[in-house]
Each structure stands twice: as structure tokens, then as C-alpha cells.
Amino acid sequence: MSIEFLNPETSVVFSAPKDLPQGGKFADALKNITRDIPTSDKLTGIELRLLPPFVKDNNTEPFLLLPGFAKLYCLTIVVSDINNQLLGGIDLQGFPRIGDNEHLPINKTIFYWQQNDTDKLPPKQIHTMCAVIKSKKALRETGKVMADLKNDEEYKSLLGTVTGLVSNASPAGVALDVINQVAGIVGRYLGNVEDKPVGTIINSFTDIRGDFDHEGVRKQAFETKKVNFEMEVIVRAQRHTERGMRSLENGHDEQVEVQLEPLW
């Protein structure tokens, strides 16, 4: 039986580029974004980090002397319009004894782009899904699951679909559909898991929405009924230092020095 990642009881879709919220806290947050990067061509680096998910309820009731620990997987999928990271961001980890009100020991980069001579254009869209899934039986070897996934014929055909997203500016609907299909294939290879995850989030970061307009590090929280997720969005841009301005006396432009700092 396939895993129902988008079950409304456990999943939340936070931001879709086509349907920006017109009211409420998310719309208010958009209005307060400091847009200190004039255009996307000023970007030199973008990184997304997944911080430790907080499991409020692991879907396991204590029984007699058993404390109610659960065996959990954490599945992360990232799709973007950057050539070398179209569908490379797939990660699966297993955790054997997780109780209520515990963090999963995860703190890792799930997307990374840095400007270089051959890759000058920043991503316009990055679509992410993160799901915490409970296993009824022993945890599967996640390395084998990933190997099985990459040899799967349905997965291989999806790679061709995602490659086509580049020339089509990575339509959000197609990208999110690909994420859901990949998640379903992973769920098939996992086996022995509950029909629905403990918690799932889907979020889109886009230039139109303004997610890359604020330089520095920003944390974003995503809450579901039983699991809270948190990500860091790290944006780096060119720094321009003007050594002089137009001289009103002689009418000539003085030299302007442009200084490009590395991402790290």
C-alpha cells in the first residue's frame, strides 16, 4: 500500500508560487520582508538547511512498562531549476528510538548553489518536501532503499520529466507533482510503514515570492499537528563598494570598485 503523504491530517502545504496568500500571518510576513537585493542577478549563493525536526507526538502510545518509543524515518526531497540539482536532493534517514517531545538528530544542508564561471544564474524556484514516517517493524537499511530507488524504472523516467523542467522554467505544479511521485516510489521500497506519515510539509521558495530578496540567514518554521519543522534560508549577494561618485566640479566619473565576496 502506498504512503499517503498528502493526507490532510498530517501534511501541510505552506507556499505555492501560483497562490500567494492575500491575508493572514503569511501574507503579513511577506509584506515585512526587507528587500535589500535589487535583482536576482546579484545573488552569488543560496543554501537551505534542515534543522532538527521536533516530534511532538510519535504516534505510539505507552504500553505497560514500554515507554512508547517509535522507529521513524525522515525523508527529504528537493527539486529546483538548477541543472545539477534537479532531483539530486533526496535523503532518507532512520532513527530507532524516538519518544514524544524529542528532536530528530538532523542538521544538514538540503540545497546548495554557489555562483561560478559555468553556473552564473541563480535558481528561480526550489521546491521541498520533508516527511517523518513511522515504521511498524524493523528499520530498513536506508542505503539499500536509496540504491533501489535509483535503479527503479519509474524513477528513471521521472528524471527525464524533471530535466524538461529547465527549459520550461520549472512550473511549480509539475515540480510538486514530481516530488509526490518520488515520495511514493520511496514509500514502496520502504515497506512495513504506516499508511500515512506522522507529519509532512511541502514548501516552495521562489524569486517571485521574494524568498531570495533578503541577504543573510533567515529561519522559517513549519508546524504540523504532530511534528514541527524548521529550515534556514541562507542568501549571499554581491557587495558593491563605491570609491567615488560623479564629481560635480569636473563632470567626470571616478573609478568604482566592485568587490565580490565568496559565499564562505
Side-chain angles (χ1 to χ4, degrees):
M1 181 181 295
S2 61
I3 299 177
E4 191 179 356
F5 284 99
L6 297 184
N7 186 299
E9 293 183 7
T10 58
S11 65
V12 180
V13 179
F14 280 90
S15 65
K18 294 182 180 179
D19 301 305
L20 296 183
Q22 301 301 314
K25 62 180 181 180
F26 295 112
D28 293 339
L30 286 178
K31 297 175 184 176
N32 294 328
I33 291 177
T34 303
R35 297 175 176 269
D36 59 0
I37 299 177
T39 59
S40 61
D41 62 356
K42 304 299 182 184
L43 297 181
T44 58
I46 296 176
E47 179 181 1
L48 297 182
R49 290 191 64 84
L50 175 64
L51 303 181
F54 181 65
V55 180
K56 297 178 287 187
D57 183 350
N58 65 6
N59 254 9
T60 305
E61 294 294 331
F63 179 73
L64 297 178
L65 298 179
L66 300 177
F69 291 130
K71 296 179 284 290
L72 303 177
Y73 296 101
C74 185
L75 171 65
T76 304
I77 301 174
V78 181
V79 174
S80 78
D81 54 2
I82 294 296
N83 280 306
N84 63 353
Q85 298 197 41
L86 291 174
L87 200 50
I90 303 177
D91 184 67
L92 180 68
Q93 297 183 58
F95 305 94
R97 289 171 57 84
I98 301 297
D100 292 344
N101 299 313
E102 287 190 21
H103 286 90
L104 297 183
I106 300 173
N107 191 329
K108 64 183 302 178
T109 296
I110 59 175
F111 178 87
Y112 185 88
W113 171 83
Q114 184 174 9
Q115 186 184 70
N116 55 47
D117 291 338
T118 59
D119 192 8
K120 296 183 178 180
L121 296 179
K124 296 182 180 296
Q125 300 184 32
I126 306 171
H127 307 280
T128 63
M129 186 192 93
C130 188
V132 173
I133 313 161
K134 177 184 172 183
S135 177
K136 287 184 176 180
K137 297 185 179 179
L139 290 173
R140 293 281 304 276
E141 172 56 49
T142 56
K144 184 179 185 306
V145 173
M146 296 300 294
D148 291 340
L149 169 70
K150 293 180 180 180
N151 291 324
D152 185 272
E153 292 301 321
E154 184 179 354
Y155 175 77
K156 291 178 181 178
S157 68
L158 276 177
L159 287 180
T161 301
V162 178
T163 302
L165 295 178
V166 178
S167 59
N168 295 320
S170 184
V174 177
L176 297 177
D177 182 60
V178 167
I179 284 179
N180 195 34
Q181 291 184 61
V182 173
I185 298 173
V186 174
R188 189 171 70 239
Y189 282 107
L190 281 176
N192 298 326
V193 295
E194 289 192 334
D195 294 340
K196 58 185 180 182
V198 180
T200 300
I201 59 164
I202 293 179
N203 188 68
S204 297
F205 302 90
T206 71
D207 59 348
I208 293 178
R209 188 176 182 270
D211 290 303
F212 311 134
D213 287 356
H214 184 79
E215 186 178 15
V217 181
R218 282 189 300 149
K219 288 187 178 181
Q220 293 196 14
F222 310 94
E223 183 174 352
T224 68
K225 184 178 180 180
K226 297 185 177 182
V227 183
N228 290 347
F229 299 87
E230 192 174 26
M231 292 185 185
E232 282 184 346
V233 183
I234 305 168
V235 176
R236 194 63 180 262
Q238 294 178 2
R239 296 295 183 85
H240 299 272
T241 304
E242 295 189 1
R243 296 300 185 187
M245 301 180 66
R246 179 182 294 273
S247 172
L248 297 178
E249 290 78 15
N250 56 29
H252 292 105
D253 288 337
E254 295 184 1
Q255 183 178 3
V256 177
E257 179 181 342
V258 179
Q259 189 174 33
L260 178 64
E261 295 184 359
L263 184 62
W264 299 113

